[in-house]
Amino acid sequence: MTETNPLTKKDFKSDQEVRWCPGCGDYAILNAVQAVCARMGIAREDTVFVSGIGCSSRFPYYMSTFGFHTIHGRAPAIATGIKTANPELSVWIVTGDGDGLSIGGNHLAHILRRNVDVNILLFNNQIYGLTKGQYSPTSPVGRRTKTSPMGSIDRPFNPISFALGCNATFVARTYDSNLKHMERTFEAAARHKGASFVEIYQNCVIFNDGCFEDVVDKKVRDDRMIDLVPGEPMIYGKQREKGIKVEGFETNVTGADDASVWDPTLSSSAPAFTMSMMDENPGHPNPVGVFRAVSAPSYDEVSASQVAEAITESGAGTIRDLVYAGETWEVS
Amino acid sequence: MTTTREPGSDLPLQKQERVVIRFAGDSGDGMQITGNQFTSTSAAVGNDLATLPDFPAEIRAPAGTRPGVSGFQLCFSSIDIHTPGDNPDVLVAMNPAALVVNIADLKIGGVVIANTGNFTAKDLKKARVEVNPLEDGSLEGYRVIKVDINKRVTEALDGSTLSTKEVQRCKNFYTLGLMYWLYSRPLEPTEEWLRKKFAKRGELAEANITAMRAGFAAGDIHEMFQGRFEVPAAELAPGTYRKIMGNQALALGLISGAELAGLKAFLGSYPITPASSILEVMASFKRHGVVTFQAEDEIAAICAAIGASFTGSLGMTTTSGPGVALKGEAMGLGVCVELPLVIVNVQRGGPSTGLPTKTEQADLLQALFGRNGEAPIPVLAVCSPSDAFDCAIEACRIAVEYMTPVILLSDGYIANGAEPWRLPDIDGLPRFEARFEKPREKGNSRLMPYSRDERSSRPWALPGTAGTEHRVGGLEKEHLSGEISYDAENHEFMILKRQEKVMGIRASIPTPEIRGPRSGDLLILGWGSTYGTIIDAAERCARTGTEGSTLHLRHLWPLPEGLDEIFDRFKAILIPEINLGQLARVLRGEYPHHNFISFPKVQGRPFLSTEIVEKVTDILER
Ligand code: SF4
């Protein structure tokens, strides 16, 4: 699958003019994805980017790989067809909070539970951007938007908890203002066999500017964000002086020395759930990084192996076998 | 063929040309199995046949009630037949509900076989019948044969190790045995079938066989009938035959269609009555390379099929009307991305959930127009169970050759109906090999994904083919390059191109042939499952000296060439449809100068031949 000449980011740029608003977080995400594709040396022709509808869903046009800009919410369904019909392909889904969790919530749930071997990037900007500023299923309660002039009354989804609830085998979160963190997360997602789900905190400068500022801003993020790194103690803070200690289904903020070691490979998703909701507790940081990474057979793989098994067992079928079957009789 | 048991009495054996039997009972009584077995055996003795199962809407409505009645009608004959018959000659009623629901259809003078064991006061109450119809004289004019099947089965299986409930479950085979005796059918095919079906529970196979033999013997012993009948083998065209149901034939056609295109079949589907069995059948043919995906919903089903087509499989999706409504947006995407896709709609009664287990042809306009924007999709319709095989192949051909979604309409009547299928010569099937773009070296001219060939089809470039990377989607495409384009002129150009491509399919389809006189006062025009009934009606008309010309449309969009000239030759064109006149509406728009007479019937069941005969007589006498 690898090409002989080392690939660069540029090899993954299409000739299309990128049309997001200047300052949109999507630019950085596109950069990170192209860098990861180059670094991993994946072949352009074996790669398909599939998207739904929304600002983020223009993504495939900016990649020089194969691309499919589908219809609202349905990217996971189309991607399931692509991957199941040809498991050799590297398939990526680009979606947003509206596309993936509102109109396409059903398909997202099912692609995750089936564990189709695809990489899902969910750009979360807590707003409908393409339709110009209505609240989304991840907008916090009280958020004032064009369709919620007195504040949104919807309780939002936590995308990480959602994915864990679907028994996803790889679940992670990253944010658009940290290229390194994005690249590391995307690469881990791409290497994972099975459905990988990555939520990306993405800033929409036009309709929801600064929606994650209180967490991702450089000035505060050391104290307000914790990066969950597999196999490492859960430490954060400017001086890396604070830690998270897990006690039962509770998390407590402690000193760095008392921090628990994070293990996303446990078969139970309960600890990951606890982590995903940690920031609801006062004084707790907002978690990013890898929440879950477990291995399970992928749908496409098993589907292909059933076909192969049937052929091995009874031989490849022909039209004659199909038609001249059952109880036949002759009329002369 | 010889019967297992020669008639033991001197009862006369009468020859009959064609017989219609309806088995009716509770949905738990196994009437579908009984009917299917009688059908298979009749096929094996060489009769022509046609069947019409009538399922209750509920899987198990309360036992003994009218909504719980399940029916199976079959017509078997020694002549060429086209329908399961209008009115049964024999009605087998396993309980009062089955009797009252079906008696009105029975031919005057017809035979009722009633299981008196199920006509107790309690049974009558369940069926909401006040007085026992077997005793109140309401069956005058019919020959009523009363048998306590419950008791007879208990006697026949005396000493068996089965539970009382299991013994009673053998009732339908007792009944079948009785009918086999009456119509001089062999028992062996069913015995063989039972032994295979209950291979793991031999005692069940043997109990059912014992019950069936007891029923067969009872025909003689109890002198219930004045005579036995024989329906000799039909003179069918020479060849190899098998009994086939519509959904089964359709599944085989889809698999064959993909193979004839040199492609893997990929079916994305969501279970829905009456289409589910296509998914079931296709899931069982994995050794033919078929990939089936049971999706989370109708939308995902078609979307996965589109995704599969993008990678070079032949994407297909099977559903019924409500499912098509959900797939509308994705069908539009299929039109925009111009990939092959076969969408099967096994129509049922609508609107909304409607009558899931009943038949209707009311989704024609949905198929033609049910999408946003100018989104032309070719539409074909199956006309009989075995025709589903050929039609499915034709749908695959159009999809692949023209890089387009295709809608294939069937309906509940065809889906569950069965007939003898004269198996095709495999080498004679059409081949329509798909062509893919070849890899391109760096520096070669770039792929133009929206360039067009002589059929106006665009190239099919698959992921995995180096140098052909491109993007598709639902936004308007620029001619040739396929990039997003909001240009006004380009949009109109592309609309016209897609239209031209679909209309161009006409060049590949034949003008349908008229049956009967080539001109005259009246042409009966049909589409889909009305085929058999229309032919039957026309033959009846011909026998009484009325001219009966008929024409049947397989391709509903684009319409074949030459129709105008055909219509010119008739004073009027009668269009019987199981809807409010949808084809008539389309034809009036396309051919405004002809006299189309719409003949609608929307009762969730097929036309009767006599209804069409009456209509024809009525028109011609006017
Ligand atoms: S509207 Fe918001 S999300 Fe959309 S491109 Fe502009 S900044 Fe980005």
Side-chain angles (χ1 to χ4, degrees):
Chain A
M1 299 241 300
T2 44
E3 292 183 355
T4 36
N5 293 332
L7 292 163
T8 68
K9 236 187 203 177
K10 249 182 92 190
D11 289 312
F12 288 91
K13 286 195 196 316
S14 77
D15 56 0
Q16 295 296 294
E17 185 194 336
V18 183
R19 295 237 199 131
W20 289 308
C21 307
C24 175
D26 292 1
Y27 285 93
I29 305 174
L30 177 62
N31 257 310
V33 169
Q34 287 166 338
V36 168
C37 288
R39 185 168 340 126
M40 292 181 68
I42 62 173
R44 271 191 308 254
E45 68 267 24
D46 293 334
T47 307
V48 188
F49 276 81
V50 188
S51 65
I53 297 293
C55 288
S56 62
S57 290
R58 294 300 175 90
F59 201 97
Y61 292 113
Y62 309 138
M63 297 292 296
S64 61
T65 60
F66 280 90
F68 205 146
H69 179 212
T70 72
I71 41 180
H72 208 6
R74 318 301 170 204
I78 292 199
T80 298
I82 292 174
K83 184 70 185 178
T84 308
N86 186 354
E88 301 293 311
L89 300 172
S90 163
V91 179
W92 297 68
I93 293 170
V94 178
T95 181
D97 40 318
D99 189 59
L101 289 169
S102 208
I103 194 166
N106 191 29
H107 309 305
L108 184 57
H110 288 276
I111 198 171
L112 292 173
R113 81 164 165 90
R114 288 194 186 103
N115 200 33
V116 182
D117 186 17
V118 296
N119 311 310
I120 302 162
L121 311 180
L122 185 137
F123 296 23
N124 182 7
N125 56 18
Q126 301 184 336
I127 197 85
Y128 285 114
L130 193 64
T131 50
K132 301 199 169 80
Q134 302 82 15
Y135 66 94
S136 89
T138 58
S139 301
V141 171
R143 175 71 46 89
R144 287 172 194 261
T145 70
K146 284 184 187 160
T147 48
S148 58
M150 295 174 71
S152 164
I153 56 173
D154 285 26
R155 294 173 70 210
F157 263 133
N158 174 336
I160 299 294
S161 308
F162 175 89
L164 291 168
C166 300
N167 203 10
T169 55
F170 182 94
V171 181
R173 177 186 279 154
T174 185
Y175 51 109
D176 64 4
S177 54
N178 187 339
L179 215 55
K180 276 223 172 72
H181 192 271
M182 278 196 288
E183 288 181 17
R184 196 182 342 126
T185 312
F186 297 159
E187 184 164 345
R191 294 202 184 282
H192 175 76
K193 185 120 181 71
S196 313
F197 176 83
V198 181
E199 177 196 3
I200 307 154
Y201 285 163
Q202 178 245 321
N203 194 37
C204 168
V205 278
I206 305 296
F207 297 110
N208 208 8
D209 196 21
C211 57
F212 295 109
E213 209 163 52
D214 59 337
V215 179
V216 302
D217 190 85
K218 273 218 171 82
K219 280 187 239 130
V220 300
R221 85 180 169 212
D222 287 344
D223 286 321
R224 300 216 183 136
M225 181 189 277
I226 183 166
D227 189 12
L228 303 175
V229 183
E232 307 239 327
M234 291 184 273
I235 298 174
Y236 68 108
K238 274 219 175 57
Q239 260 69 53
R240 315 245 333 128
E241 75 287 9
K242 288 179 271 193
I244 295 291
K245 188 171 168 60
V246 184
E247 281 161 314
F249 291 109
E250 305 272 309
T251 50
N252 289 305
V253 175
T254 59
D257 294 344
D258 292 327
S260 311
V261 169
W262 177 233
D263 182 4
T265 66
L266 301 171
S267 66
S268 162
S269 55
F273 260 112
T274 307
M275 292 303 138
S276 74
M277 289 179 281
M278 131 165 57
D279 54 310
E280 284 172 24
N281 303 318
H284 273 63
N286 194 297
V288 298
V290 179
F291 291 81
R292 194 166 196 230
V294 296
S295 76
S298 73
Y299 180 87
D300 44 290
E301 194 182 10
V302 180
S303 166
S305 72
Q306 283 195 349
V307 170
E309 190 186 317
I311 292 173
T312 318
E313 261 177 27
S314 353
T318 65
I319 299 180
R320 187 172 302 278
D321 300 338
L322 272 183
V323 170
Y324 287 79
E327 281 167 39
T328 60
W329 69 94
E330 300 293 329
V331 174
S332 46
Chain B
M1 276 284 172
T2 52
T3 51
T4 2
R5 204 192 127 123
E6 290 309 317
S9 62
D10 315 319
L11 288 176
L13 198 60
Q14 287 174 40
K15 270 203 174 49
Q16 282 194 337
E17 207 171 55
R18 100 178 184 173
V19 175
V20 179
I21 301 181
R22 187 181 295 176
F23 294 96
D26 207 54
S27 51
D29 282 342
M31 290 298 100
Q32 303 300 324
I33 294 177
T34 313
N36 271 312
Q37 279 308 305
F38 200 100
T39 306
S40 295
T41 300
S42 302
V45 301
N47 292 138
D48 195 6
L49 51 92
T51 72
L52 173 65
D54 183 22
F55 303 110
E58 275 77 34
I59 302 297
R60 284 277 193 278
T65 63
R66 297 186 192 199
V69 174
S70 167
F72 188 104
Q73 180 166 320
L74 90 151
C75 176
F76 56 106
S77 77
S78 58
I79 51 165
D80 191 16
I81 50 162
H82 313 286
T83 78
D86 288 0
N87 303 100
D89 302 291
V90 180
L91 170 65
V92 175
M94 299 298 280
N95 64 24
L99 181 69
V100 292
V101 168
N102 291 292
I103 191 70
D105 293 338
L106 189 65
K107 246 180 223 161
I108 304 299
V111 175
V112 179
I113 298 174
N115 174 15
T116 55
N118 281 348
F119 277 74
T120 65
K122 216 168 108 199
D123 298 310
L124 294 171
K125 202 168 154 216
K126 277 192 230 158
R128 288 187 292 111
V129 178
E130 311 230 315
V131 199
N132 188 346
L134 297 179
E135 280 152 21
D136 68 355
S138 62
L139 298 180
E140 219 163 280
Y142 302 110
R143 277 201 295 139
V144 184
I145 313 237
K146 299 180 202 172
V147 198
D148 187 342
I149 298 177
N150 299 11
K151 199 166 145 211
R152 294 278 162 79
V153 169
T154 311
E155 285 162 8
L157 294 176
D158 187 28
S160 136
T161 55
L162 299 183
S163 69
T164 316
K165 208 169 150 200
E166 283 170 327
V167 166
Q168 285 302 307
R169 282 239 183 90
C170 299
K171 273 189 309 210
N172 58 333
F173 280 90
Y174 181 92
T175 316
L176 184 62
L178 195 57
M179 297 311 288
Y180 278 167
W181 177 84
L182 188 59
Y183 289 100
S184 324
R185 321 256 99 179
L187 303 182
E188 287 92 345
T190 298
E191 292 182 356
E192 219 170 274
W193 179 84
L194 278 167
R195 290 203 173 100
K196 223 188 256 167
K197 179 166 166 81
F198 294 114
K200 294 219 177 76
R201 293 203 59 191
E203 71 279 18
L204 284 185
E206 292 316 313
N208 280 307
I209 290 170
T210 308
M212 180 166 69
R213 288 184 180 162
F216 192 93
D220 278 341
I221 303 163
H222 298 286
E223 291 184 5
M224 287 181 274
F225 304 97
Q226 271 105 51
R228 300 177 75 192
F229 303 100
E230 187 188 34
V231 178
E235 280 194 26
L236 299 172
T240 307
Y241 283 78
R242 88 188 250 205
K243 183 194 87 170
I244 196 89
M245 287 174 72
N247 273 359
Q248 197 184 4
L250 207 148
L252 301 185
L254 291 176
I255 300 171
S256 304
E259 208 159 314
L260 293 165
L263 302 173
K264 272 199 303 188
F266 180 102
L267 175 67
S269 187
Y270 184 77
I272 182 170
T273 303
S276 311
S277 63
I278 304 174
L279 170 60
E280 292 166 10
V281 172
M282 286 183 68
S284 71
F285 284 112
K286 291 198 166 51
R287 80 180 183 96
H288 290 260
V290 178
V291 176
T292 53
F293 169 63
Q294 183 176 315
E296 57 270 26
D297 62 21
E298 296 282 357
I299 299 171
I302 184 171
C303 284
I306 293 172
S309 284
F310 184 60
T311 72
S313 286
L314 181 49
M316 308 166 175
T317 188
T318 48
T319 186
S320 187
V324 174
L326 287 165
K327 293 179 197 290
E329 188 191 12
M331 284 160 59
L333 178 67
V335 170
C336 269
V337 298
E338 300 190 44
L339 287 166
L341 177 69
V342 178
I343 302 143
V344 176
N345 176 358
V346 185
Q347 301 165 94
R348 63 191 217 183
S352 187
T353 309
L355 301 171
T357 58
K358 310 288 177 200
T359 201
E360 207 158 282
Q361 297 184 297
D363 299 344
L364 176 62
L365 295 180
Q366 178 197 43
L368 294 175
F369 307 116
R371 293 165 290 284
N372 62 306
E374 294 289 350
I377 292 185
V379 179
L380 330 177
V382 174
C383 77
S384 77
S386 66
D387 181 56
F389 178 80
D390 299 318
C391 259
I393 291 178
E394 172 68 351
C396 294
R397 177 192 72 83
I398 294 175
V400 171
E401 287 188 344
Y402 291 87
M403 295 288 283
T404 179
V406 176
I407 296 174
L408 177 57
L409 297 174
S410 176
D411 63 32
Y413 174 44
I414 292 171
N416 297 311
E419 67 180 357
W421 176 28
R422 185 160 157 252
L423 303 182
D425 166 21
I426 305 296
D427 301 326
L429 294 174
R431 293 203 82 91
F432 35 89
E433 207 84 20
R435 283 174 296 169
F436 301 125
E437 286 301 297
K438 304 238 155 32
R440 293 171 182 230
E441 297 284 319
K442 257 211 178 106
N444 272 12
S445 65
R446 94 174 238 253
L447 169 75
M448 288 289 161
Y450 280 77
S451 56
R452 301 193 179 265
D453 68 5
E454 69 287 354
R455 293 193 184 103
S456 294
S457 287
R458 73 176 195 88
W460 200 358
L462 309 184
T465 311
T468 69
E469 296 84 357
H470 67 283
R471 271 68 53 194
V472 295
L475 284 170
E476 185 59 281
K477 297 280 163 279
E478 188 178 70
H479 173 51
L480 304 177
S481 76
E483 305 296 0
I484 300 172
S485 167
Y486 297 110
D487 182 81
E489 266 86 45
N490 177 75
H491 175 54
E492 190 167 49
F493 178 87
M494 291 298 277
I495 295 260
L496 292 172
K497 263 288 159 210
R498 291 187 285 256
Q499 175 77 2
E500 175 193 303
K501 177 173 87 166
V502 169
M503 294 318 286
I505 295 168
R506 278 187 158 164
S508 71
I509 59 183
T511 303
E513 300 268 338
I514 301 179
R515 271 177 81 124
R518 298 178 46 77
S519 63
D521 289 338
L522 189 68
L523 174 71
I524 315 175
L525 177 68
W527 69 278
S529 67
T530 52
Y531 174 75
T533 322
I534 291 175
I535 300 287
D536 197 54
E539 284 176 359
R540 286 179 194 220
C541 288
R543 262 177 275 163
T544 58
T546 316
E547 276 179 6
S549 302
T550 65
L551 187 73
H552 211 75
L553 297 179
R554 168 184 277 185
H555 297 89
L556 296 161
W557 201 258
L559 289 160
E561 297 194 45
L563 290 186
D564 213 14
E565 293 73 27
I566 293 177
F567 296 159
D568 265 341
R569 303 203 292 266
F570 292 90
K571 284 201 190 118
I573 297 137
L574 176 68
I575 309 179
E577 287 180 89
I578 311 176
N579 60 45
L580 290 182
Q582 299 192 4
L583 179 66
R585 182 188 281 251
V586 172
L587 294 179
R588 282 182 192 129
E590 293 294 310
Y591 309 100
H593 306 299
H594 300 289
N595 179 17
F596 296 107
I597 303 170
S598 173
F599 182 28
K601 173 183 176 183
V602 207
Q603 300 176 353
R605 51 182 176 194
F607 274 99
L608 304 179
S609 311
T610 47
E611 290 168 339
I612 296 178
V613 172
E614 268 166 40
K615 184 75 186 176
V616 170
T617 323
D618 195 44
I619 293 169
L620 292 178
E621 277 171 5
R622 244 189 277 153

